[in-house]
Amino acid sequence: MSTSPSVPLLKRIPPGLWVGLVWFVVAVEPIVEYVLMPPSRKYSLSYPRHGLDPLSARLLLAIAFVMIMAGSAQLRRRTSTGYGLLLAGTVFSTVAWRQHEIPPVQYLGVDIALCYIAATRPRRTSLIAAAAALATLPCYLALRLGLGEQDALGSDPYIALIVVIAWLVGNSIRQSRLHTEELHARAAAQAVTAERLRIAREMHDTVAHSIGIIALQAGAAARVIETQPDRAREAMLTVEKTGRETLAGLRRMLGALRQADREADGMAGQDTARTTARTAAPTTGQPTARTTDRAAEAPREPAAPASLRPAVGLADVERLAATTTAAGVRVEVRWQGRRRPLPPDLDLAAFRIVQESVTNVVRHSGADSCRVSVDYGDDELAIEVRDRGEGPAPDAGHDTGYGLVGMRERIALLHGDFTAGPATDGGFRVAARLPLPADARTH
């Protein structure tokens, strides 16, 4: 039962900070090298030593720095505004140095911002951003030519190529992320479908078990109705109780499935219910015939044989704990409240929650013990499974998370509440609350 690994530090840094750092390093480096440092033989035509002597040049450079700071801060929330400020700041810094063309290194900040936009925004938005970056180059060239400057062009094609590459890299990252998200969504949907099929199979087994009890009790009552009317009446009361519980469980299950399917696609719930009915009908008939024959052979035994008892339920939690403890992980079970019979579907779901949680402790938590708490409340059943494990290494890659999906699906079908996540005092905690039907409540 692993917790989500923490995001690496480099990924937690906002994209605007990356853009601002790159731009500031590129902008400050020539100021230090060609203006602040003592004169040397090395000289740059793009960054002349007296290039920033005019007050207007210094003012333009200061405005450029302010624009870059504002654009980097707004890049994530107001992408268009932040990106526009980055472009404007780059142009202002170039004008401050009175350069004939925008230096390629000074455009790296814009390229990083464009890569981020292409990776996180719709394609139309990223294409507009790329077009703006490309259009800035000829617009600046036209401005310099209009001012009478003849020395131009130079590295503009190279800068344009870098802009295109930045967009392609960002767009590839976006396509990869969308594909991964689609795969995760499909896998989660398949996990939910598989869990529903398993629930349906278990519900089918529960119904078959109930039908078997009804057939056995009815057969026994028919044989002793004249000689032992009290025992016949007791058997028929058992038939009535079992039938009502089974019908109530089916209504809850099918009602929840229909509601969930209507939210998904409108009418899929009716098709699922009809398919379930067609699938279950011929199968449940077979146990009825067999148990009727058994009733004829043993008419004086109204109790259900062991072979017809439910396969799993909260009564099996102790057995699960003993098996897990023998495997090396000690399981402490705490019962609270008055233990009493529960509807078969709810009893089965509660056991599955405990079983899946304990299994996750053994496989993923690294803990040597865990605690299972089952609280029989007046109107709800509360389940909690806690461990003190650290979880696997972030690169272990064993926990797909579909066990939690299955538990959440079970609880949702029974209109309960489910939470799972790291506990405040360490370890992992799974908690579920299942509302009890009226006939299972205490007042």
Side-chain angles (χ1 to χ4, degrees), residues 35-83:
V35 178
L36 300 180
M37 296 294 291
S40 63
R41 294 182 180 180
K42 187 177 180 181
Y43 185 75
S44 173
L45 294 175
S46 298
Y47 302 100
R49 174 164 297 278
H50 303 290
L52 296 180
D53 286 350
L55 180 60
S56 59
R58 298 180 182 182
L59 180 60
L60 285 175
L61 190 59
I63 294 176
F65 273 85
V66 172
M67 286 184 172
I68 295 300
M69 291 176 61
S72 300
Q74 298 186 29
L75 185 60
R76 173 175 287 179
R77 295 183 179 179
R78 298 180 179 179
T79 303
S80 300
T81 302
Y83 186 71

mmCIF file of all heavy atoms in Angstrom, residues 35-83:
data_model
loop_
_atom_site.group_PDB
_atom_site.id
_atom_site.type_symbol
_atom_site.label_atom_id
_atom_site.label_comp_id
_atom_site.label_asym_id
_atom_site.label_seq_id
_atom_site.Cartn_x
_atom_site.Cartn_y
_atom_site.Cartn_z
ATOM 1 N N VAL A 35 31.093 45.577 -19.537
ATOM 2 C CA VAL A 35 30.873 46.896 -18.959
ATOM 3 C C VAL A 35 31.523 47.021 -17.589
ATOM 4 O O VAL A 35 32.259 47.986 -17.308
ATOM 5 C CB VAL A 35 29.364 47.219 -18.874
ATOM 6 C CG1 VAL A 35 29.149 48.579 -18.218
ATOM 7 C CG2 VAL A 35 28.742 47.198 -20.259
ATOM 8 N N LEU A 36 31.284 46.073 -16.716
ATOM 9 C CA LEU A 36 31.774 46.183 -15.339
ATOM 10 C C LEU A 36 33.216 45.732 -15.184
ATOM 11 O O LEU A 36 33.958 46.281 -14.369
ATOM 12 C CB LEU A 36 30.864 45.364 -14.404
ATOM 13 C CG LEU A 36 29.381 45.785 -14.373
ATOM 14 C CD1 LEU A 36 28.603 44.898 -13.411
ATOM 15 C CD2 LEU A 36 29.250 47.249 -13.978
ATOM 16 N N MET A 37 33.604 44.714 -15.923
ATOM 17 C CA MET A 37 34.973 44.212 -15.798
ATOM 18 C C MET A 37 35.969 45.187 -16.434
ATOM 19 O O MET A 37 35.607 45.969 -17.322
ATOM 20 C CB MET A 37 35.086 42.839 -16.471
ATOM 21 C CG MET A 37 34.239 41.769 -15.801
ATOM 22 S SD MET A 37 34.801 41.372 -14.133
ATOM 23 C CE MET A 37 36.345 40.567 -14.500
ATOM 24 N N PRO A 38 37.222 45.161 -16.011
ATOM 25 C CA PRO A 38 38.237 46.030 -16.619
ATOM 26 C C PRO A 38 38.372 45.756 -18.115
ATOM 27 O O PRO A 38 38.145 44.638 -18.579
ATOM 28 C CB PRO A 38 39.525 45.664 -15.865
ATOM 29 C CG PRO A 38 39.054 45.075 -14.584
ATOM 30 C CD PRO A 38 37.780 44.378 -14.892
ATOM 31 N N PRO A 39 38.749 46.774 -18.875
ATOM 32 C CA PRO A 39 38.890 46.582 -20.327
ATOM 33 C C PRO A 39 39.915 45.501 -20.652
ATOM 34 O O PRO A 39 40.904 45.303 -19.953
ATOM 35 C CB PRO A 39 39.350 47.952 -20.813
ATOM 36 C CG PRO A 39 38.931 48.903 -19.748
ATOM 37 C CD PRO A 39 39.016 48.167 -18.465
ATOM 38 N N SER A 40 39.637 44.770 -21.699
ATOM 39 C CA SER A 40 40.545 43.724 -22.160
ATOM 40 C C SER A 40 40.587 43.750 -23.679
ATOM 41 O O SER A 40 39.887 44.524 -24.333
ATOM 42 C CB SER A 40 40.076 42.349 -21.660
ATOM 43 O OG SER A 40 38.802 42.046 -22.198
ATOM 44 N N ARG A 41 41.443 42.898 -24.216
ATOM 45 C CA ARG A 41 41.532 42.843 -25.673
ATOM 46 C C ARG A 41 40.257 42.295 -26.311
ATOM 47 O O ARG A 41 39.975 42.562 -27.476
ATOM 48 C CB ARG A 41 42.717 41.965 -26.071
ATOM 49 C CG ARG A 41 44.070 42.550 -25.667
ATOM 50 C CD ARG A 41 45.183 41.643 -26.133
ATOM 51 N NE ARG A 41 46.501 42.191 -25.751
ATOM 52 C CZ ARG A 41 47.650 41.598 -26.042
ATOM 53 N NH1 ARG A 41 47.642 40.438 -26.715
ATOM 54 N NH2 ARG A 41 48.793 42.150 -25.646
ATOM 55 N N LYS A 42 39.540 41.522 -25.544
ATOM 56 C CA LYS A 42 38.295 40.947 -26.070
ATOM 57 C C LYS A 42 37.251 42.028 -26.210
ATOM 58 O O LYS A 42 37.005 42.800 -25.285
ATOM 59 C CB LYS A 42 37.796 39.836 -25.134
ATOM 60 C CG LYS A 42 36.607 39.082 -25.680
ATOM 61 C CD LYS A 42 36.227 37.956 -24.727
ATOM 62 C CE LYS A 42 35.036 37.177 -25.269
ATOM 63 N NZ LYS A 42 34.639 36.090 -24.348
ATOM 64 N N TYR A 43 36.655 42.087 -27.378
ATOM 65 C CA TYR A 43 35.674 43.149 -27.646
ATOM 66 C C TYR A 43 34.517 42.553 -28.437
ATOM 67 O O TYR A 43 34.702 41.651 -29.256
ATOM 68 C CB TYR A 43 36.320 44.294 -28.432
ATOM 69 C CG TYR A 43 35.399 45.484 -28.647
ATOM 70 C CD1 TYR A 43 35.129 46.359 -27.602
ATOM 71 C CD2 TYR A 43 34.803 45.696 -29.882
ATOM 72 C CE1 TYR A 43 34.284 47.454 -27.784
ATOM 73 C CE2 TYR A 43 33.963 46.774 -30.080
ATOM 74 C CZ TYR A 43 33.707 47.662 -29.035
ATOM 75 O OH TYR A 43 32.855 48.724 -29.216
ATOM 76 N N SER A 44 33.303 43.014 -28.168
ATOM 77 C CA SER A 44 32.102 42.502 -28.814
ATOM 78 C C SER A 44 31.413 43.623 -29.581
ATOM 79 O O SER A 44 31.182 44.711 -29.039
ATOM 80 C CB SER A 44 31.138 41.912 -27.780
ATOM 81 O OG SER A 44 29.925 41.560 -28.392
ATOM 82 N N LEU A 45 31.077 43.335 -30.836
ATOM 83 C CA LEU A 45 30.308 44.302 -31.616
ATOM 84 C C LEU A 45 28.861 44.355 -31.156
ATOM 85 O O LEU A 45 28.206 45.398 -31.257
ATOM 86 C CB LEU A 45 30.365 43.929 -33.108
ATOM 87 C CG LEU A 45 31.751 44.028 -33.767
ATOM 88 C CD1 LEU A 45 31.688 43.526 -35.207
ATOM 89 C CD2 LEU A 45 32.272 45.456 -33.724
ATOM 90 N N SER A 46 28.339 43.229 -30.639
ATOM 91 C CA SER A 46 26.954 43.201 -30.180
ATOM 92 C C SER A 46 26.790 43.895 -28.839
ATOM 93 O O SER A 46 25.739 44.470 -28.554
ATOM 94 C CB SER A 46 26.465 41.741 -30.071
ATOM 95 O OG SER A 46 26.499 41.109 -31.324
ATOM 96 N N TYR A 47 27.832 43.825 -27.995
ATOM 97 C CA TYR A 47 27.764 44.438 -26.674
ATOM 98 C C TYR A 47 28.940 45.413 -26.506
ATOM 99 O O TYR A 47 29.927 45.109 -25.825
ATOM 100 C CB TYR A 47 27.814 43.367 -25.584
ATOM 101 C CG TYR A 47 26.705 42.337 -25.683
ATOM 102 C CD1 TYR A 47 26.949 41.090 -26.256
ATOM 103 C CD2 TYR A 47 25.434 42.624 -25.208
ATOM 104 C CE1 TYR A 47 25.942 40.151 -26.351
ATOM 105 C CE2 TYR A 47 24.416 41.682 -25.297
ATOM 106 C CZ TYR A 47 24.672 40.452 -25.873
ATOM 107 O OH TYR A 47 23.678 39.526 -25.971
ATOM 108 N N PRO A 48 28.898 46.570 -27.133
ATOM 109 C CA PRO A 48 30.003 47.532 -27.009
ATOM 110 C C PRO A 48 30.106 48.065 -25.584
ATOM 111 O O PRO A 48 29.111 48.162 -24.862
ATOM 112 C CB PRO A 48 29.620 48.636 -28.006
ATOM 113 C CG PRO A 48 28.142 48.521 -28.140
ATOM 114 C CD PRO A 48 27.817 47.080 -27.994
ATOM 115 N N ARG A 49 31.338 48.410 -25.196
ATOM 116 C CA ARG A 49 31.592 48.844 -23.826
ATOM 117 C C ARG A 49 30.800 50.087 -23.463
ATOM 118 O O ARG A 49 30.350 50.234 -22.320
ATOM 119 C CB ARG A 49 33.083 49.083 -23.637
ATOM 120 C CG ARG A 49 33.441 49.676 -22.280
ATOM 121 C CD ARG A 49 34.904 49.544 -22.001
ATOM 122 N NE ARG A 49 35.290 48.135 -21.920
ATOM 123 C CZ ARG A 49 35.137 47.395 -20.836
ATOM 124 N NH1 ARG A 49 34.589 47.906 -19.738
ATOM 125 N NH2 ARG A 49 35.511 46.141 -20.833
ATOM 126 N N HIS A 50 30.611 50.972 -24.414
ATOM 127 C CA HIS A 50 29.882 52.206 -24.132
ATOM 128 C C HIS A 50 28.441 52.130 -24.628
ATOM 129 O O HIS A 50 27.792 53.148 -24.794
ATOM 130 C CB HIS A 50 30.601 53.391 -24.789
ATOM 131 C CG HIS A 50 32.027 53.544 -24.349
ATOM 132 N ND1 HIS A 50 32.367 53.951 -23.071
ATOM 133 C CD2 HIS A 50 33.208 53.296 -25.008
ATOM 134 C CE1 HIS A 50 33.692 53.975 -22.960
ATOM 135 N NE2 HIS A 50 34.226 53.574 -24.118
ATOM 136 N N GLY A 51 27.979 50.907 -24.855
ATOM 137 C CA GLY A 51 26.623 50.754 -25.389
ATOM 138 C C GLY A 51 25.541 51.187 -24.430
ATOM 139 O O GLY A 51 24.445 51.598 -24.850
ATOM 140 N N LEU A 52 25.799 51.072 -23.127
ATOM 141 C CA LEU A 52 24.789 51.431 -22.132
ATOM 142 C C LEU A 52 25.055 52.793 -21.491
ATOM 143 O O LEU A 52 24.431 53.125 -20.476
ATOM 144 C CB LEU A 52 24.724 50.357 -21.034
ATOM 145 C CG LEU A 52 24.267 48.968 -21.457
ATOM 146 C CD1 LEU A 52 24.251 48.029 -20.261
ATOM 147 C CD2 LEU A 52 22.901 49.003 -22.119
ATOM 148 N N ASP A 53 25.946 53.573 -22.081
ATOM 149 C CA ASP A 53 26.234 54.882 -21.503
ATOM 150 C C ASP A 53 25.045 55.840 -21.569
ATOM 151 O O ASP A 53 24.778 56.563 -20.604
ATOM 152 C CB ASP A 53 27.448 55.495 -22.198
ATOM 153 C CG ASP A 53 28.744 54.825 -21.752
ATOM 154 O OD1 ASP A 53 28.673 54.035 -20.778
ATOM 155 O OD2 ASP A 53 29.784 55.069 -22.370
ATOM 156 N N PRO A 54 24.301 55.870 -22.683
ATOM 157 C CA PRO A 54 23.153 56.790 -22.712
ATOM 158 C C PRO A 54 22.118 56.415 -21.645
ATOM 159 O O PRO A 54 21.883 55.233 -21.355
ATOM 160 C CB PRO A 54 22.596 56.613 -24.125
ATOM 161 C CG PRO A 54 23.727 56.063 -24.925
ATOM 162 C CD PRO A 54 24.516 55.210 -23.984
ATOM 163 N N LEU A 55 21.508 57.424 -21.094
ATOM 164 C CA LEU A 55 20.477 57.186 -20.078
ATOM 165 C C LEU A 55 19.290 56.429 -20.653
ATOM 166 O O LEU A 55 18.692 55.588 -19.980
ATOM 167 C CB LEU A 55 20.009 58.528 -19.498
ATOM 168 C CG LEU A 55 18.935 58.456 -18.407
ATOM 169 C CD1 LEU A 55 19.445 57.650 -17.213
ATOM 170 C CD2 LEU A 55 18.511 59.861 -17.980
ATOM 171 N N SER A 56 18.957 56.729 -21.907
ATOM 172 C CA SER A 56 17.824 56.037 -22.550
ATOM 173 C C SER A 56 18.085 54.541 -22.660
ATOM 174 O O SER A 56 17.176 53.720 -22.504
ATOM 175 C CB SER A 56 17.566 56.638 -23.932
ATOM 176 O OG SER A 56 18.732 56.504 -24.750
ATOM 177 N N ALA A 57 19.353 54.150 -22.925
ATOM 178 C CA ALA A 57 19.680 52.729 -23.028
ATOM 179 C C ALA A 57 19.505 52.041 -21.679
ATOM 180 O O ALA A 57 18.950 50.925 -21.590
ATOM 181 C CB ALA A 57 21.101 52.555 -23.541
ATOM 182 N N ARG A 58 19.966 52.691 -20.620
ATOM 183 C CA ARG A 58 19.801 52.096 -19.296
ATOM 184 C C ARG A 58 18.331 51.984 -18.914
ATOM 185 O O ARG A 58 17.907 51.008 -18.289
ATOM 186 C CB ARG A 58 20.555 52.924 -18.268
ATOM 187 C CG ARG A 58 22.056 52.969 -18.517
ATOM 188 C CD ARG A 58 22.752 53.816 -17.470
ATOM 189 N NE ARG A 58 24.180 53.898 -17.732
ATOM 190 C CZ ARG A 58 25.049 54.548 -16.967
ATOM 191 N NH1 ARG A 58 24.596 55.194 -15.870
ATOM 192 N NH2 ARG A 58 26.335 54.583 -17.272
ATOM 193 N N LEU A 59 17.564 53.026 -19.269
ATOM 194 C CA LEU A 59 16.135 52.988 -18.965
ATOM 195 C C LEU A 59 15.438 51.860 -19.712
ATOM 196 O O LEU A 59 14.616 51.130 -19.138
ATOM 197 C CB LEU A 59 15.505 54.335 -19.321
ATOM 198 C CG LEU A 59 13.993 54.471 -19.054
ATOM 199 C CD1 LEU A 59 13.704 54.269 -17.568
ATOM 200 C CD2 LEU A 59 13.479 55.827 -19.527
ATOM 201 N N LEU A 60 15.777 51.693 -20.992
ATOM 202 C CA LEU A 60 15.180 50.599 -21.776
ATOM 203 C C LEU A 60 15.559 49.232 -21.196
ATOM 204 O O LEU A 60 14.730 48.309 -21.140
ATOM 205 C CB LEU A 60 15.633 50.701 -23.229
ATOM 206 C CG LEU A 60 14.977 51.803 -24.065
ATOM 207 C CD1 LEU A 60 15.622 51.860 -25.451
ATOM 208 C CD2 LEU A 60 13.478 51.563 -24.200
ATOM 209 N N LEU A 61 16.816 49.091 -20.773
ATOM 210 C CA LEU A 61 17.240 47.811 -20.204
ATOM 211 C C LEU A 61 16.522 47.541 -18.882
ATOM 212 O O LEU A 61 16.139 46.393 -18.602
ATOM 213 C CB LEU A 61 18.752 47.822 -19.999
ATOM 214 C CG LEU A 61 19.370 46.466 -19.627
ATOM 215 C CD1 LEU A 61 19.092 45.437 -20.713
ATOM 216 C CD2 LEU A 61 20.875 46.598 -19.391
ATOM 217 N N ALA A 62 16.320 48.569 -18.071
ATOM 218 C CA ALA A 62 15.583 48.387 -16.816
ATOM 219 C C ALA A 62 14.138 47.992 -17.095
ATOM 220 O O ALA A 62 13.569 47.116 -16.418
ATOM 221 C CB ALA A 62 15.638 49.679 -15.996
ATOM 222 N N ILE A 63 13.524 48.628 -18.099
ATOM 223 C CA ILE A 63 12.156 48.258 -18.470
ATOM 224 C C ILE A 63 12.112 46.809 -18.942
ATOM 225 O O ILE A 63 11.183 46.048 -18.629
ATOM 226 C CB ILE A 63 11.621 49.207 -19.554
ATOM 227 C CG1 ILE A 63 11.472 50.628 -18.994
ATOM 228 C CG2 ILE A 63 10.289 48.704 -20.103
ATOM 229 C CD1 ILE A 63 11.050 51.647 -20.038
ATOM 230 N N ALA A 64 13.135 46.389 -19.689
ATOM 231 C CA ALA A 64 13.189 45.005 -20.164
ATOM 232 C C ALA A 64 13.241 44.029 -18.995
ATOM 233 O O ALA A 64 12.551 43.002 -18.987
ATOM 234 C CB ALA A 64 14.396 44.819 -21.079
ATOM 235 N N PHE A 65 14.054 44.339 -17.983
ATOM 236 C CA PHE A 65 14.153 43.460 -16.818
ATOM 237 C C PHE A 65 12.805 43.369 -16.092
ATOM 238 O O PHE A 65 12.392 42.285 -15.656
ATOM 239 C CB PHE A 65 15.237 43.963 -15.866
ATOM 240 C CG PHE A 65 16.601 43.443 -16.186
ATOM 241 C CD1 PHE A 65 17.400 44.076 -17.131
ATOM 242 C CD2 PHE A 65 17.090 42.323 -15.564
ATOM 243 C CE1 PHE A 65 18.661 43.603 -17.428
ATOM 244 C CE2 PHE A 65 18.352 41.836 -15.849
ATOM 245 C CZ PHE A 65 19.149 42.475 -16.795
ATOM 246 N N VAL A 66 12.112 44.514 -15.962
ATOM 247 C CA VAL A 66 10.806 44.506 -15.300
ATOM 248 C C VAL A 66 9.810 43.671 -16.101
ATOM 249 O O VAL A 66 9.024 42.894 -15.533
ATOM 250 C CB VAL A 66 10.308 45.952 -15.110
ATOM 251 C CG1 VAL A 66 8.858 45.945 -14.603
ATOM 252 C CG2 VAL A 66 11.205 46.704 -14.143
ATOM 253 N N MET A 67 9.823 43.802 -17.419
ATOM 254 C CA MET A 67 8.920 43.016 -18.265
ATOM 255 C C MET A 67 9.182 41.518 -18.130
ATOM 256 O O MET A 67 8.250 40.707 -18.049
ATOM 257 C CB MET A 67 9.079 43.441 -19.729
ATOM 258 C CG MET A 67 8.450 44.781 -20.066
ATOM 259 S SD MET A 67 8.594 45.143 -21.831
ATOM 260 C CE MET A 67 7.575 46.610 -21.949
ATOM 261 N N ILE A 68 10.455 41.159 -18.105
ATOM 262 C CA ILE A 68 10.781 39.735 -17.987
ATOM 263 C C ILE A 68 10.332 39.190 -16.634
ATOM 264 O O ILE A 68 9.795 38.068 -16.539
ATOM 265 C CB ILE A 68 12.287 39.529 -18.192
ATOM 266 C CG1 ILE A 68 12.678 39.913 -19.619
ATOM 267 C CG2 ILE A 68 12.668 38.082 -17.908
ATOM 268 C CD1 ILE A 68 11.973 39.121 -20.693
ATOM 269 N N MET A 69 10.537 39.959 -15.580
ATOM 270 C CA MET A 69 10.090 39.512 -14.261
ATOM 271 C C MET A 69 8.581 39.328 -14.228
ATOM 272 O O MET A 69 8.072 38.310 -13.735
ATOM 273 C CB MET A 69 10.529 40.523 -13.201
ATOM 274 C CG MET A 69 12.030 40.587 -12.957
ATOM 275 S SD MET A 69 12.487 41.881 -11.774
ATOM 276 C CE MET A 69 11.600 41.319 -10.316
ATOM 277 N N ALA A 70 7.834 40.298 -14.773
ATOM 278 C CA ALA A 70 6.373 40.200 -14.783
ATOM 279 C C ALA A 70 5.905 39.056 -15.679
ATOM 280 O O ALA A 70 4.992 38.304 -15.332
ATOM 281 C CB ALA A 70 5.764 41.522 -15.252
ATOM 282 N N GLY A 71 6.540 38.904 -16.838
ATOM 283 C CA GLY A 71 6.149 37.819 -17.740
ATOM 284 C C GLY A 71 6.418 36.450 -17.169
ATOM 285 O O GLY A 71 5.606 35.526 -17.295
ATOM 286 N N SER A 72 7.571 36.288 -16.493
ATOM 287 C CA SER A 72 7.891 34.991 -15.879
ATOM 288 C C SER A 72 6.910 34.659 -14.760
ATOM 289 O O SER A 72 6.520 33.495 -14.586
ATOM 290 C CB SER A 72 9.321 35.019 -15.336
ATOM 291 O OG SER A 72 10.247 35.265 -16.374
ATOM 292 N N ALA A 73 6.491 35.689 -14.002
ATOM 293 C CA ALA A 73 5.552 35.451 -12.901
ATOM 294 C C ALA A 73 4.173 35.071 -13.406
ATOM 295 O O ALA A 73 3.452 34.308 -12.749
ATOM 296 C CB ALA A 73 5.468 36.702 -12.020
ATOM 297 N N GLN A 74 3.767 35.561 -14.565
ATOM 298 C CA GLN A 74 2.421 35.318 -15.083
ATOM 299 C C GLN A 74 2.368 34.216 -16.127
ATOM 300 O O GLN A 74 1.292 33.947 -16.678
ATOM 301 C CB GLN A 74 1.861 36.604 -15.691
ATOM 302 C CG GLN A 74 1.718 37.745 -14.698
ATOM 303 C CD GLN A 74 1.033 38.953 -15.313
ATOM 304 O OE1 GLN A 74 0.218 38.814 -16.217
ATOM 305 N NE2 GLN A 74 1.364 40.134 -14.820
ATOM 306 N N LEU A 75 3.491 33.565 -16.400
ATOM 307 C CA LEU A 75 3.525 32.587 -17.487
ATOM 308 C C LEU A 75 2.574 31.428 -17.253
ATOM 309 O O LEU A 75 1.956 30.921 -18.189
ATOM 310 C CB LEU A 75 4.956 32.073 -17.671
ATOM 311 C CG LEU A 75 5.180 31.133 -18.865
ATOM 312 C CD1 LEU A 75 4.824 31.824 -20.171
ATOM 313 C CD2 LEU A 75 6.617 30.637 -18.886
ATOM 314 N N ARG A 76 2.429 30.972 -15.998
ATOM 315 C CA ARG A 76 1.574 29.807 -15.729
ATOM 316 C C ARG A 76 0.100 30.180 -15.682
ATOM 317 O O ARG A 76 -0.736 29.482 -16.275
ATOM 318 C CB ARG A 76 1.985 29.149 -14.408
ATOM 319 C CG ARG A 76 1.057 28.035 -13.963
ATOM 320 C CD ARG A 76 1.563 27.329 -12.719
ATOM 321 N NE ARG A 76 2.717 26.485 -13.014
ATOM 322 C CZ ARG A 76 3.357 25.771 -12.100
ATOM 323 N NH1 ARG A 76 2.970 25.810 -10.845
ATOM 324 N NH2 ARG A 76 4.393 25.030 -12.432
ATOM 325 N N ARG A 77 -0.251 31.275 -15.018
ATOM 326 C CA ARG A 77 -1.663 31.617 -14.841
ATOM 327 C C ARG A 77 -2.221 32.383 -16.034
ATOM 328 O O ARG A 77 -3.320 32.121 -16.500
ATOM 329 C CB ARG A 77 -1.840 32.431 -13.558
ATOM 330 C CG ARG A 77 -1.494 31.651 -12.295
ATOM 331 C CD ARG A 77 -1.763 32.475 -11.043
ATOM 332 N NE ARG A 77 -1.460 31.718 -9.831
ATOM 333 C CZ ARG A 77 -1.593 32.202 -8.604
ATOM 334 N NH1 ARG A 77 -2.036 33.450 -8.429
ATOM 335 N NH2 ARG A 77 -1.285 31.451 -7.555
ATOM 336 N N ARG A 78 -1.469 33.352 -16.513
ATOM 337 C CA ARG A 78 -1.892 34.146 -17.668
ATOM 338 C C ARG A 78 -0.841 33.963 -18.759
ATOM 339 O O ARG A 78 0.026 34.811 -18.954
ATOM 340 C CB ARG A 78 -2.048 35.609 -17.284
ATOM 341 C CG ARG A 78 -3.108 35.846 -16.219
ATOM 342 C CD ARG A 78 -3.226 37.323 -15.882
ATOM 343 N NE ARG A 78 -4.248 37.572 -14.869
ATOM 344 C CZ ARG A 78 -4.531 38.780 -14.378
ATOM 345 N NH1 ARG A 78 -3.846 39.840 -14.813
ATOM 346 N NH2 ARG A 78 -5.468 38.921 -13.467
ATOM 347 N N THR A 79 -0.961 32.861 -19.435
ATOM 348 C CA THR A 79 0.088 32.458 -20.361
ATOM 349 C C THR A 79 0.293 33.476 -21.473
ATOM 350 O O THR A 79 1.429 33.856 -21.781
ATOM 351 C CB THR A 79 -0.254 31.085 -20.957
ATOM 352 O OG1 THR A 79 -0.432 30.151 -19.892
ATOM 353 C CG2 THR A 79 0.858 30.596 -21.860
ATOM 354 N N SER A 80 -0.778 33.918 -22.091
ATOM 355 C CA SER A 80 -0.646 34.845 -23.227
ATOM 356 C C SER A 80 0.001 36.156 -22.793
ATOM 357 O O SER A 80 0.918 36.662 -23.463
ATOM 358 C CB SER A 80 -2.024 35.110 -23.840
ATOM 359 O OG SER A 80 -2.601 33.913 -24.306
ATOM 360 N N THR A 81 -0.458 36.699 -21.666
ATOM 361 C CA THR A 81 0.114 37.955 -21.176
ATOM 362 C C THR A 81 1.582 37.785 -20.811
ATOM 363 O O THR A 81 2.438 38.612 -21.172
ATOM 364 C CB THR A 81 -0.675 38.451 -19.962
ATOM 365 O OG1 THR A 81 -2.047 38.621 -20.322
ATOM 366 C CG2 THR A 81 -0.124 39.775 -19.460
ATOM 367 N N GLY A 82 1.893 36.716 -20.074
ATOM 368 C CA GLY A 82 3.278 36.482 -19.685
ATOM 369 C C GLY A 82 4.189 36.277 -20.875
ATOM 370 O O GLY A 82 5.308 36.814 -20.924
ATOM 371 N N TYR A 83 3.723 35.526 -21.873
ATOM 372 C CA TYR A 83 4.535 35.273 -23.063
ATOM 373 C C TYR A 83 4.759 36.562 -23.855
ATOM 374 O O TYR A 83 5.858 36.813 -24.375
ATOM 375 C CB TYR A 83 3.849 34.223 -23.925
ATOM 376 C CG TYR A 83 4.653 33.763 -25.107
ATOM 377 C CD1 TYR A 83 5.785 32.975 -24.944
ATOM 378 C CD2 TYR A 83 4.276 34.110 -26.404
ATOM 379 C CE1 TYR A 83 6.520 32.547 -26.036
ATOM 380 C CE2 TYR A 83 5.006 33.686 -27.500
ATOM 381 C CZ TYR A 83 6.125 32.906 -27.304
ATOM 382 O OH TYR A 83 6.861 32.480 -28.384
#
